[in-house]
Amino acid sequence: MNNLINKAVNLIESNRISSTEVADVLGKKGQINNVYPLNRSHFKVGEVVFVYAINNSNYELHKQIAELDLTDKILFVYNVNCDRAIFGDLVTKYIMLYKRAKAIVVTGKLRDAHTLIKENYPIWCETVSPIGCVNYINGEDINVDSYNELYEQYNGAIMVCDDSGVVMIPKTELNEHLLKKLEFIEFQEDIWFYCLDTLKMSTFEIVCQKKYLTENLLDKRLLEKLEKFQLLLACSVISLGILFSSMIFDSFFPFLILPKLFKSL
């Protein structure tokens, strides 16, 4: 799994594959709801370390981050019953500078916005507030079953964070087929912008009609590369035993090569 995580992170990072494109690959899903970039123009992708804050207290949060290795990871702070700002500049500096995290994602509020913005930290959160959490135990802790469920869902996943928000690739979706889909959608975007900027096609012709596949508008080498992606993806589908819906075929397999391939099997 670690090898797959590293390959996926390197692929997304080196090609700067956006959260929007990753969400498309996941079938228009994966968004961490209600979190927004505090500072603009950051692009961060990495393995997730899961922690939580509970009951308008950051006591449990302080304890967790002190014990965890956050180096080159994205810290994901899950909010349980906190309507106050969970932490501010002191904790952020500790996480980013001394624990060496890549980014922070919080499903709640933060405080000390003036400093967090001034330091241009890569933070995604719900919003900001001057009213902070207390730093002592303030109620019953999260129950073990809920914690284990959240930990399994988030810890070790991959998050892609940019100006559009945050999208998560679950561990259950992380495989070689997903890597091929990421490579394909990046190449497809290149083709679409070539059709728009150079061939001056309309977005209807590009996205809906896909005229670039049928009217000899692309260089032969580009068509061959598209066909190669199709074959690789088709083989991956067969080897994994995955049955894709017509929606996925429409989105990722515009060639007629797949029906022909399956017919010949």
Side-chain angles (χ1 to χ4, degrees), residues 18-31 167 185 252:
S18 70
S19 62
T20 302
E21 291 171 305
V22 173
D24 282 348
V25 164
L26 293 172
K28 307 290 187 182
K29 64 182 191 292
Q31 181 182 13
V167 168
I185 199 165
F252 292 100

Side-chain angles (χ1 to χ4, degrees), residues 172-235:
T172 54
E173 303 253 1
L174 190 57
N175 51 48
E176 291 291 342
H177 180 71
L178 180 82
L179 299 182
K180 291 182 176 68
K181 288 166 70 176
L182 287 168
E183 291 175 352
F184 175 78
I185 199 165
E186 183 66 10
F187 183 63
Q188 179 180 261
E189 288 288 310
D190 292 341
I191 294 295
W192 283 5
F193 277 98
Y194 170 76
C195 292
L196 179 69
D197 297 328
T198 303
L199 301 182
K200 306 302 180 186
M201 295 170 66
S202 71
T203 55
F204 179 67
E205 292 172 318
I206 298 166
V207 177
C208 300
Q209 294 182 317
K210 296 181 172 63
K211 283 191 174 181
Y212 57 90
L213 297 174
T214 58
E215 296 190 4
N216 297 319
L217 296 173
L218 296 182
D219 182 272
K220 183 180 179 181
R221 289 172 298 177
L222 293 177
L223 288 171
E224 287 175 351
K225 190 171 182 180
L226 277 171
E227 185 173 338
K228 183 180 178 181
F229 270 119
Q230 299 289 352
L231 285 169
L232 286 171
L233 289 168
C235 291

Side-chain angles (χ1 to χ4, degrees), residues 10-116:
N10 290 336
L11 175 63
I12 295 168
E13 208 164 42
S14 61
N15 290 281
R16 209 173 178 84
I17 301 175
S18 70
S19 62
T20 302
E21 291 171 305
V22 173
D24 282 348
V25 164
L26 293 172
K28 307 290 187 182
K29 64 182 191 292
Q31 181 182 13
I32 303 298
N33 291 324
N34 301 319
V35 296
Y36 310 96
L38 182 63
N39 295 306
R40 296 293 176 180
S41 301
H42 285 292
F43 176 80
K44 299 293 179 180
V45 53
E47 184 180 353
V48 174
V49 174
F50 165 80
V51 296
Y52 67 93
I54 190 168
N55 299 328
N56 277 328
S57 168
N58 53 31
Y59 178 91
E60 292 84 0
L61 174 69
H62 284 292
K63 188 173 187 297
Q64 292 168 87
I65 62 177
E67 298 169 349
L68 292 168
D69 178 12
L70 304 181
T71 304
D72 291 328
K73 305 289 178 62
I74 291 179
L75 180 67
F76 177 59
V77 183
Y78 187 86
N79 173 5
V80 183
N81 300 325
C82 295
D83 57 12
R84 299 179 181 180
I86 297 171
F87 58 88
D89 58 350
L90 181 71
V91 175
T92 299
K93 185 173 184 178
Y94 176 59
I95 292 167
M96 297 303 303
L97 182 62
Y98 295 103
K99 301 294 286 189
R100 300 175 59 194
K102 269 189 174 180
I104 300 170
V105 178
V106 185
T107 60
K109 302 171 184 176
L110 295 181
R111 69 177 195 176
D112 303 324
H114 59 292
T115 303
L116 302 183

